[in-house]
Amino acid sequence: MVQIHSAKFICERALRMIGAYAINDSAAQSHELEEALYWLDMIVSTLAGVEECTWLITDELTIPLAGSISEYNIKTVLGSNYPTDGIEYAVGAVIENQNGHRQPIEIVSKKDYEKTCKLNQTGCPTIVYIDRTLDPVLRVWPVLGVDQNTYSLKVSFQQHSPDISSAKSATGFRKAWNEWAVYKLAARIGNGPVRRVSTNEISLNLRIAEDLEEDLVNYENVEKTTKPPIVQSYGL
């Protein structure tokens, strides 16, 4: 069975690939391992920022809505339910009434929110905007009337990647991403941070990492269902 490797394990494999940790060595040099851990942390953080990673997506989190309130500080509202590693962005949202009836609600950009809104308009919210600050605020429009306190938002978020800059850290990503992480890290730390290997070696490691990432994003990172695929009818 494939192991879920620690950040240290990934870094040691990458250090070995660039000649910084021989197979007969008892341990990697501590300062080189530390540098590799920093780079691995940045690599995974970047991945979380540019790809929707299924292992980082939260379950639905509930944000109760109140009459005449248009802005909600997400950290304050969620309290202890706020994701430990913080929020990268919202993945999806629905609005739910007191009877459990749910309907999708559109998540819009700042530009569309400001263009669309008449701030004094009341009614059941149809759009939400969530800013990208470190202390994120969610805004709804229209705003519920004063006596409309029976709605809540159910929002799923992509979290930031966990801190993996410590040798004891778990990477947090799924098993299939181990090889990608080793090759991507070897390309990064072999370009100066730990060693400076040949351009050809860097290019080869980066190309393998990119090929692996494309396959992983297009298949492993996609939720699997039993719904039959929709195909075009033959001859029509």
Side-chain angles (χ1 to χ4, degrees):
M1 182 176 179
V2 178
Q3 299 178 21
I4 299 177
H5 294 302
S6 67
K8 179 183 178 184
F9 181 94
I10 298 295
C11 290
E12 287 174 338
R13 304 286 81 71
L15 288 168
R16 184 161 291 162
M17 288 182 66
I18 64 170
Y21 176 28
I23 196 168
N24 292 321
D25 289 343
S26 59
Q29 294 292 320
S30 60
H31 62 285
E32 293 180 337
L33 176 60
E34 183 178 23
E35 185 67 15
L37 285 163
Y38 286 138
W39 278 92
L40 179 61
D41 185 65
M42 288 189 287
I43 288 168
V44 179
S45 294
T46 298
L47 178 71
V50 300
E51 293 290 349
E52 188 173 293
C53 302
T54 53
W55 67 88
L56 293 176
I57 297 175
T58 68
D59 292 332
E60 286 184 341
L61 300 176
T62 301
I63 299 176
L65 301 180
S68 75
I69 303 297
S70 63
E71 298 186 359
Y72 300 83
N73 182 286
I74 297 177
K75 284 184 180 179
T76 301
V77 174
L78 292 181
S80 61
N81 291 323
Y82 187 79
T84 303
D85 295 308
I87 290 171
E88 186 73 54
Y89 52 81
V91 175
V94 297
I95 190 166
E96 182 177 280
N97 67 13
Q98 74 274 21
N99 298 318
H101 178 73
R102 296 153 58 94
Q103 62 183 38
I105 187 167
E106 185 179 6
I107 301 170
V108 301
S109 66
K110 183 175 187 291
K111 179 180 179 181
D112 287 342
Y113 174 80
E114 293 176 341
K115 178 176 65 177
T116 304
C117 297
K118 297 178 181 178
L119 297 181
N120 60 348
Q121 184 169 336
T122 60
C124 182
T126 58
I127 63 173
V128 298
Y129 161 62
I130 302 172
D131 66 33
R132 301 300 300 276
T133 63
L134 296 177
D135 193 19
V137 173
L138 178 147
R139 297 170 174 85
V140 299
W141 182 87
V143 181
L144 291 173
V146 175
D147 57 347
Q148 292 180 293
N149 294 316
T150 56
Y151 289 88
S152 61
L153 287 176
K154 307 286 186 177
V155 188
S156 298
F157 296 96
Q158 170 141 319
Q159 304 171 81
H160 294 299
S161 62
D163 179 3
I164 55 175
S165 60
S166 167
K168 295 181 180 180
S169 301
T171 59
F173 48 75
R174 293 166 58 85
K175 298 177 181 180
W177 290 79
N178 289 333
E179 187 180 13
W180 162 82
V182 171
Y183 275 98
K184 190 68 173 278
L185 181 59
R188 290 288 187 264
I189 63 176
N191 196 28
V194 176
R195 291 286 192 277
R196 190 169 292 281
V197 300
S198 70
T199 301
N200 287 341
E201 187 174 346
I202 293 171
S203 297
L204 175 60
N205 289 338
L206 191 58
R207 185 168 69 251
I208 293 173
E210 289 173 345
D211 288 345
L212 288 168
E213 184 174 335
E214 182 178 3
D215 290 341
L216 290 164
V217 166
N218 291 334
Y219 190 81
E220 199 281 340
N221 196 48
V222 177
E223 293 183 336
K224 305 300 184 289
T225 70
T226 57
K227 183 178 179 179
I230 299 174
V231 297
Q232 184 175 0
S233 299
Y234 180 74
L236 297 179

